Amino acid sequence: LERAGEQSWSWIDAGSAANQHKSFVRVRSSYIFGADEDSPIAPENYNPVQELTFLSNVSLAILKHESALCYFNPNGEVLLSEALLASSLEHSQKHEIPPLDVWANVRLYNISEKWALMDCVGNWQLDIPDLEVVFPQDSINLQAIDEFIRNLSLYLFDSGAVIGDGDTVDGPDGKKWQGFTYEDSLASPPRHVIRWVPAEHDSIPEELNPKAKPKKKRWKLW
């Protein structure tokens, strides 16, 4: 909750609003509530987007209560007001795309005087990995990195585990970016990530540079 408040870029007052809470309503869904002991956790054809959209709409209905303060997705560290949640869900339905900003937050960290890290947290709710992007602070627009992360997330959701270590994609600066799978992330919480770095940059700090470390196996659904 603290990280979500600190990294809420669409709602500046999110942290102070959330800190006023004295209780919460938890909205959960499961295939095993009331099921047999040997029932599968999820059927083979389950659809995470449909399930998360349903839960998000339930949350929106609860936010109509006069005492409700905000929506919080702890898995994606997202804090939204009623208006922002409604707007995101409406935009998603209109354009027929998953409302990633409702379920997964994009965060920014200054790694050094020259380098920054932007990542997302919460993609695992869609059975895809979170993404980290390491980039020079003075050369790339932050909005472009944000869009890069969201577009790659949608690509992974549509295409599956198709990115292998060292694969390249076109990046926000018009150049190639290279991705590497990691079993642990640079920022909390610990989780599987694909880290992206400029493919042709020769001064990436060693502690951030996947090229300086042993390659990992291709990412797989967990």
Side-chain angles (χ1 to χ4, degrees):
L1 181 59
E2 182 179 1
R3 287 195 299 267
E6 292 173 347
Q7 297 275 356
S8 179
W9 305 107
S10 60
W11 184 23
I12 301 302
D13 297 326
S16 58
N19 286 337
Q20 299 177 42
H21 83 282
K22 297 181 180 179
S23 61
F24 61 88
V25 177
R26 176 177 290 167
V27 183
R28 303 174 68 186
S29 68
S30 173
Y31 290 98
I32 60 175
F33 292 156
D36 296 335
E37 194 174 89
D38 297 329
S39 298
I41 296 176
E44 292 183 2
N45 62 342
Y46 86 106
N47 187 316
V49 169
Q50 291 181 359
E51 295 175 5
L52 289 168
T53 300
F54 175 78
L55 292 176
S56 299
N57 279 296
V58 170
S59 299
L60 183 60
I62 295 172
L63 282 174
K64 303 295 183 183
H65 193 280
E66 61 181 9
S67 298
L69 295 170
C70 59
Y71 159 88
F72 176 47
N73 181 315
N75 296 314
E77 300 186 4
V78 177
L79 279 168
L80 295 174
S81 65
E82 177 188 351
L84 287 171
L85 178 59
S87 176
S88 291
L89 292 175
E90 181 180 354
H91 179 83
S92 166
Q93 183 177 20
K94 179 179 179 180
H95 296 279
E96 298 182 342
I97 57 174
L100 296 181
D101 58 334
V102 171
W103 308 324
N105 197 13
V106 170
R107 310 177 302 177
L108 174 66
Y109 299 93
N110 291 322
I111 302 300
S112 67
E113 293 183 358
K114 296 182 178 181
W115 288 84
L117 164 72
M118 192 175 283
D119 73 356
C120 65
V121 56
N123 274 359
W124 68 269
Q125 296 168 97
L126 296 170
D127 295 329
I128 59 176
D130 285 323
L131 306 173
E132 296 178 335
V133 181
V134 175
F135 59 97
Q137 291 194 38
D138 60 353
S139 64
I140 302 173
N141 181 275
L142 295 180
Q143 183 62 38
I145 298 292
D146 182 294
E147 293 173 359
F148 182 52
I149 290 175
R150 296 303 194 191
N151 288 335
L152 278 174
S153 296
L154 287 174
Y155 174 74
L156 284 169
F157 179 73
D158 290 336
S159 304
V162 296
I163 295 177
D165 278 320
D167 285 355
T168 59
V169 298
D170 293 330
D173 57 353
K175 298 180 180 179
K176 295 292 184 181
W177 289 66
Q178 201 165 14
F180 296 85
T181 300
Y182 272 73
E183 296 178 0
D184 199 2
S185 54
L186 290 169
S188 295
R191 64 208 189 280
H192 288 75
V193 296
I194 298 178
R195 187 181 308 168
W196 295 91
V197 297
E200 299 177 0
H201 207 291
D202 57 3
S203 61
I204 302 171
E206 185 175 354
E207 65 272 18
L208 303 177
N209 190 355
K211 301 177 188 178
K213 300 183 179 182
K215 292 185 176 181
K216 304 291 184 179
K217 295 180 180 179
R218 181 183 295 269
W219 171 79
K220 297 181 180 179
L221 286 173
W222 56 85

